[in-house]
Amino acid sequence: MGSDASSPVTADTALESVNVLGDETRRRMYAVVRRAGRPVTRDEAAAGVGVSRKLAAFHLDKLVDAGLLRAHYEHAGSLHRAGRRPKLYEPSGVTVQFSIPDRRHELLADMLMEAVLTEAQTEDARQAAVRVAAERGRDLGTTERRTTRPGRLGAERGVTICEHMLERYGFEPIRETTTRLRLHNCPFQPLTAKAPDLVCAMTQAFLTGYLDGLQATALRATLAPRPGECCVRISPAGT
């Protein structure tokens, strides 16, 4: 399940959404709301699926809790049922995707698209893609530093912060030591296999940019390819 390329949804959240849609009635109700093309009331959702209004309310609120729908009340000028404003439901805009291992094709596609749109006359396509990946990672690291205010980062503390980000983005980090991370999963497979030099260069640039934005100068992202794993490793600088 994903929203945009810069805000990945965790595997736990995606699994929760899949579980919510596992109920057939709830899945049909979600489809009714999506196809309506406008906000839908509980009564309309109930009629669309053929259940009671009370049961429709239960399922709709479950879909809201899972982030698949959003709810709001109609403006004050519209009164129904003894003067009460009806509650309206509409799609949240979230796309449901679930994969094991995690895949982030939307992130790769978004960076490649931006590279095409911003390619300078002094760049070739590969250089533009690597530049965009570095910028995207730097923005992510800068935002995280401003949010968490981690202070001066040594290698061990930097690895801990990186580990959380890498988990969110599907890299499946594994600690080899307290200051070294191996990335068990490449979230861009199977596309990586079609252009390994390009995708690995973009991945290294993205993670290098992230470390720069985070100001984790004690760490670096190095190429260390292993079969079936990500080609980049997070290691202490100078090793």
Side-chain angles (χ1 to χ4, degrees):
M1 172 183 172
S3 50
D4 58 59
S6 61
S7 303
V9 178
T10 65
D12 287 344
T13 303
L15 182 57
E16 179 184 353
S17 296
V18 171
N19 286 336
V20 166
L21 290 173
D23 182 275
E24 182 181 357
T25 300
R26 199 171 298 150
R27 190 165 60 249
R28 289 169 56 206
M29 193 163 293
Y30 180 59
V32 166
V33 177
R34 283 189 56 82
R35 288 196 297 262
R38 58 175 176 77
V40 172
T41 67
R42 290 174 173 175
D43 289 328
E44 290 171 327
V49 179
V51 298
S52 69
R53 183 180 186 276
K54 184 176 182 180
L55 184 57
F58 170 77
H59 287 307
L60 288 167
D61 289 338
K62 285 289 185 181
L63 291 166
V64 171
D65 291 342
L68 296 167
L69 296 180
R70 56 173 171 256
H72 60 89
Y73 287 94
E74 202 168 39
H75 60 82
S78 300
L79 299 178
H80 298 263
R81 293 174 54 88
R84 300 171 68 180
R85 287 186 293 158
K87 195 172 186 179
L88 300 176
Y89 299 84
E90 58 187 334
S92 64
V94 167
T95 301
V96 178
Q97 295 177 330
F98 187 74
S99 173
I100 299 176
D102 203 355
R103 296 292 180 242
R104 297 288 169 180
H105 298 151
E106 76 284 355
L107 173 59
L108 182 63
D110 192 53
M111 291 191 294
L112 289 171
M113 179 67 74
E114 185 176 342
V116 170
L117 295 175
T118 64
E119 182 179 336
Q121 292 183 347
T122 56
E123 295 177 309
D124 60 27
R126 185 182 189 280
Q127 290 169 334
V130 171
R131 169 182 55 79
V132 167
E135 292 170 351
R136 188 67 60 87
R138 192 174 299 112
D139 289 344
L140 177 63
T142 299
T143 299
E144 190 153 333
R145 182 170 183 83
R146 289 172 179 168
T147 302
T148 61
R149 301 183 181 276
R152 183 177 178 84
L153 287 176
E156 189 168 347
R157 173 64 174 152
V159 159
T160 299
I161 294 177
C162 288
E163 194 171 22
H164 296 317
M165 183 278 291
L166 293 165
E167 191 67 48
R168 292 200 312 271
Y169 277 80
F171 286 97
E172 295 183 2
I174 297 173
R175 287 209 186 203
E176 293 186 321
T177 69
T178 57
T179 58
R180 190 189 305 272
L181 289 172
R182 178 164 59 91
L183 309 185
H184 182 65
N185 180 51
C186 173
F188 305 133
Q189 286 287 12
L191 300 178
T192 304
K194 295 184 177 181
D197 290 344
L198 172 61
V199 178
C200 288
M202 291 178 66
T203 302
Q204 184 184 22
F206 175 75
L207 296 179
T208 296
Y210 172 76
L211 294 174
D212 288 344
L214 194 62
Q215 296 181 17
T217 56
L219 299 172
R220 65 174 182 171
T222 59
L223 287 174
R226 287 188 180 188
E229 297 189 0
C230 179
C231 53
V232 179
R233 177 183 296 174
I234 305 297
S235 306
T239 57

